[in-house]
């Protein structure tokens, strides 16, 4: 039933393992240039319980960039076998190095996730995620092989070839980012392929970018599969950090491998149980490049209580967005996911949308460009106008300001390779 003994740990077991691993992580981290000074005031004996992690300094994205390319390494160069560079949208990227042991423990964690949702040897697993520097490619790939699946490294895009592979090799499980999954479902429909009868896929890992429950349902319904949310970030290896079990009620974060805190990003104090804050993570298994109290900028909360599956590893709720994604318009804070939630609950809405922030010379405003499914994008102007008004009203109810809404034809908005870019800020800066 379990891939790994750690899945059966009680809270007490988890905390015991965490404490021992935290102490050794601190000692290892001291060997890096970044942590040598930072940790000079702390000794492992100061860490008597897991709460003492709060005595350690935070590590930020800027620290990683400032130490680029190799300021966090704790062992000699020749001990490393892999390097990923994170998709930094601004400034220096961040480099993440892995030793062979690091790759092995990462693959184990990933295999644990996939096993949890019923993927087994005998499954054919198509990894429809970008390969290369993006950790979603090789990270999931090695997990699938570790689990014993026949693994097809199909990569992202090239939809016709994806479909052919699925048909020829009876693919039963896939990994796909949510924005591509929506597009893929539409592409099947266009080709007259009904995934429920013509394909063999039953389960998908979806993640790598924020998405709503409405989007998950849309993916599940249109592909006739179960889709499980997968969370990870390059700084913490990549995918395999937290993952949903069969109950689809939050993502179990593997606490034998990470210490997770949720803090108020302003006061830096822990939030109250169940409140939303910034995820802060400490690696416990990483040998070559341990990271202590990393401020992820991801906003989330722990789901209180324990899961019906019995696993005691705490559950992260759906990622609400990144602190960096928050838009401020007319003094109102708005997250892209609030908009997605409204749009994806509407059957007429297609697979893509774009939020534009603009200024007409006097005031800022928001324009939401929404793709409408072919069968609804008809010549009947009255019906389209009514739909446009309906979307506008629902958005206003959610975000408290009235955006302009522009309906566009399916597949007319720019599609990004890899993670979707949902917001464009066109406001001129004075
Ligand atoms: P990268 O390290 O460049 O692959 O990006 C990692 C970031 O992707 C995370 O910090 C999150 O902001 C985002 N991300 C990854 N998985 C998810 C998920 N399941 N839901 C929402 N956001 C995610
Ligand atoms: Zn569970």
């Amino acid at each position: 039933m379990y891939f790994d003994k750690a899945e059966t740990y009680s809270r007490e077991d988890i905390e015991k393992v965490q404490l021992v691993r935290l102490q050794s992580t601190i000692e290892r981290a001291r060997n890096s240039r970044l942590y040598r000074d930072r940790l000079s005031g702390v000794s492992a004996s100061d860490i008597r319980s897991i709460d003492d992690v709060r005595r350690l300094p935070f590590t930020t994205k800027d620290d990683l960039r400032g130490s680029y390319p190799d300021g966090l390494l704790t062992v000699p160069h020749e001990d490393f076998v892999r390097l990923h560079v994170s998709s930094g949208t601004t400034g220096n990227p961040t480099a993440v190095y892995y030793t062979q042991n690091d790759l092995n423990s990462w693959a184990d964690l990933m295999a644990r996730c996939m096993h949890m949702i019923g993927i087994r040897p005998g499954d054919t697993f198509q990894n429809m995620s970008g390969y290369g520097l993006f950790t979603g490619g090789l990270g999931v790939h090695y997990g699938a092989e570790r689990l014993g699946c026949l693994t097809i490294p199909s990569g992202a895009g090239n939809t016709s070839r994806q479909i052919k592979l699925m048909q020829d090799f009876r693919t039963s499980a896939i990994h796909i980012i949510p924005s591509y999954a929506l597009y893929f479902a539409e592409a099947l429909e266009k080709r007259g392929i009904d995934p429920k009868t013509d394909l063999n896929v039953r389960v998908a890992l979806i993640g790598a970018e924020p998405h709503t429950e409405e989007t998950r349902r849309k993916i599940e319904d249109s592909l006739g599969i179960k889709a499980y949310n997968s969370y990870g970030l390059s700084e913490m290896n990549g995918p395999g950090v937290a993952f949903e079990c069969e109950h689809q009620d939050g993502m179990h974060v593997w606490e034998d491998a990470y210490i997770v805190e949720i803090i108020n990003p302003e006061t830096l104090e822990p939030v109250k149980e169940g409140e939303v804050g910034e995820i802060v993570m400490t690696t416990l298994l990483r040998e070559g490049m341990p990271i202590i109290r990393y401020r992820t900028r991801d906003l989330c909360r722990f789901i209180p209580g324990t899961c019906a599956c019995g696993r005691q590893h705490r559950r992260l709720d759906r990622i609400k967005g990144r602190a960096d994604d928050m838009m401020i318009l007319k003094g109102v804070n708005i997250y892209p996911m609030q908009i997605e939630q409204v749009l994806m609950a509407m059957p007429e809405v297609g697979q893509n949308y774009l939020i534009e922030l603009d200024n007409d010379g006097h005031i800022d405003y928001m324009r939401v460009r929404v793709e409408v499914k072919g069968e609804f994008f008809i010549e009947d102007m009255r019906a389209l106008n009514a739909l446009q008004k309906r979307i506008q009203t629902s958005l206003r109810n959610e975000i408290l300001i009235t955006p302009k809404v522009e309906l566009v034809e399916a597949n007319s908005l720019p599609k990004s390779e890899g993670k979707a870019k949902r917001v464009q800020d066109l406001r001129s800066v004075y």
Side-chain angles (χ1 to χ4, degrees):
M1 163 158 185
Y2 297 107
F3 180 76
D4 193 318
K5 189 159 175 284
E7 288 171 79
T8 67
Y9 284 174
S10 65
R11 285 306 308 170
E12 204 188 339
D13 296 335
I14 290 173
E15 282 173 24
K16 248 193 238 158
V17 166
Q18 282 187 322
L19 185 57
V20 175
R21 291 183 176 169
L22 177 60
Q23 286 165 340
S24 57
T25 294
I26 292 170
E27 289 316 315
R28 259 202 319 274
R30 276 186 219 289
N31 297 323
S32 74
R33 281 207 304 280
L34 178 74
Y35 289 120
R36 188 177 309 143
D37 298 335
R38 290 235 174 143
L39 294 175
S40 60
V42 191
S43 81
S45 58
D46 293 333
I47 306 295
R48 292 199 197 89
S49 79
I50 285 307
D51 287 344
D52 288 334
V53 73
R54 286 168 21 204
R55 303 164 74 141
L56 303 174
F58 289 108
T59 306
T60 63
K61 187 92 183 166
D62 281 343
D63 291 328
L64 300 194
R65 287 193 181 123
S67 330
Y68 182 85
D70 59 2
L72 270 89
L73 306 190
T74 59
V75 294
H77 259 262
E78 58 266 30
D79 291 352
F80 289 100
V81 296
R82 173 88 68 78
L83 171 68
H84 281 279
V85 176
S86 162
S87 55
T89 40
T90 50
N92 249 354
T94 53
V96 184
Y97 290 69
Y98 307 75
T99 63
Q100 188 58 55
N101 284 335
D102 291 334
L103 289 186
N104 294 347
S105 58
W106 182 16
D108 283 339
L109 287 172
M110 198 60 235
R112 188 196 288 180
C113 298
M114 295 173 65
H115 184 274
M116 182 162 68
I117 55 167
I119 300 176
R120 293 289 182 276
D123 271 308
T124 299
F125 182 77
Q126 193 163 325
N127 192 13
M128 303 166 69
S129 142
Y131 273 70
L133 292 173
F134 173 51
T135 49
L138 290 173
V140 172
H141 182 104
Y142 276 69
E145 288 187 351
R146 171 80 183 81
L147 185 55
C149 298
L150 174 62
T151 307
I152 311 179
S154 60
N158 201 340
T159 301
S160 298
R161 192 179 59 190
Q162 301 277 7
I163 297 171
K164 180 151 173 53
L165 289 166
M166 266 178 197
Q167 291 171 326
D168 292 354
F169 302 101
R170 306 285 297 153
T171 299
S172 52
I174 61 174
H175 173 221
I176 186 166
I177 65 174
S179 49
Y180 184 45
L182 290 171
Y183 173 83
F184 188 72
E186 209 166 275
L188 287 174
E189 200 182 321
K190 259 204 222 128
R191 289 166 171 81
I193 298 171
D194 179 357
K196 295 169 190 113
T197 52
D198 305 342
L199 298 177
N200 191 40
V201 182
R202 66 165 203 283
V203 54
L205 289 58
I206 57 170
E209 62 186 11
H211 59 288
T212 59
E213 190 60 40
E214 287 72 17
T215 297
R216 183 236 294 274
R217 274 200 220 111
K218 203 162 173 159
I219 292 169
E220 291 194 327
D221 293 346
S222 57
L223 290 175
I225 58 171
K226 282 285 206 184
Y228 296 91
N229 195 0
S230 159
Y231 171 74
L233 58 161
S234 310
E235 294 81 356
M236 296 290 124
N237 284 344
V241 172
F243 205 88
E244 279 181 338
C245 68
E246 70 272 22
H247 294 282
Q248 295 186 311
D249 187 17
M251 300 177 283
H252 289 286
V253 49
W254 299 127
E255 293 183 272
D256 54 315
Y258 304 97
I259 293 177
V260 183
E261 303 165 75
I262 296 194
I263 64 162
N264 176 324
E266 245 97 78
T267 64
L268 307 182
E269 291 299 317
V271 297
K272 288 205 196 77
E273 157 118 10
E275 273 180 16
V276 173
E278 178 179 346
I279 303 177
V280 170
M281 297 193 111
T282 301
T283 63
L284 294 176
L285 292 177
R286 275 250 291 268
E287 171 183 77
M289 190 178 152
I291 301 185
I292 290 170
R293 301 194 85 198
Y294 180 61
R295 292 191 56 184
T296 64
R297 311 296 288 152
D298 288 331
L299 300 173
C300 195
R301 64 177 202 120
F302 276 124
I303 297 179
T306 44
C307 184
C309 75
R311 289 180 185 83
Q312 300 295 306
H313 298 257
R314 282 179 297 173
R315 289 166 299 159
L316 288 175
D317 205 348
R318 205 167 268 294
I319 306 292
K320 203 172 133 58
R322 293 179 60 80
D324 322 344
D325 286 345
M326 191 179 77
M327 303 175 271
I328 303 180
L329 199 71
K330 298 176 180 165
V332 182
N333 298 350
I334 304 166
Y335 287 96
M337 282 307 106
Q338 293 177 275
I339 291 168
E340 177 166 319
Q341 188 186 328
V342 169
L343 295 180
M344 289 304 155
M346 298 187 150
E348 297 92 344
V349 169
Q351 43 94 11
N352 206 353
Y353 65 93
L354 185 66
I355 302 163
E356 289 174 342
L357 303 177
D358 212 340
N359 182 289
D360 68 1
H362 304 284
I363 49 165
D364 289 349
Y365 66 92
M366 175 188 289
R367 182 170 47 237
V368 184
R369 301 173 66 197
V370 185
E371 285 188 4
V372 176
K373 280 188 189 152
E375 69 261 38
F376 296 105
F377 202 83
I378 31 170
E379 299 292 287
D380 181 354
M381 281 314 285
R382 258 207 316 213
L384 274 185
N385 280 341
L387 175 62
Q388 189 246 8
K389 275 264 160 310
R390 201 145 47 80
I391 294 178
Q392 192 175 44
T393 309
S394 309
L395 285 174
R396 192 194 53 219
N397 291 343
E398 172 64 34
I399 62 178
L400 308 178
I401 60 160
T402 309
K404 295 181 198 245
V405 172
E406 192 181 310
L407 303 184
V408 300
E409 257 180 289
N411 292 316
S412 61
L413 292 176
K415 193 157 53 73
S416 40
E417 273 283 314
K419 304 191 189 213
K421 236 185 133 358
R422 299 303 194 185
V423 183
Q424 259 189 340
D425 199 337
L426 308 165
R427 290 179 288 193
S428 34
V429 183
Y430 297 103

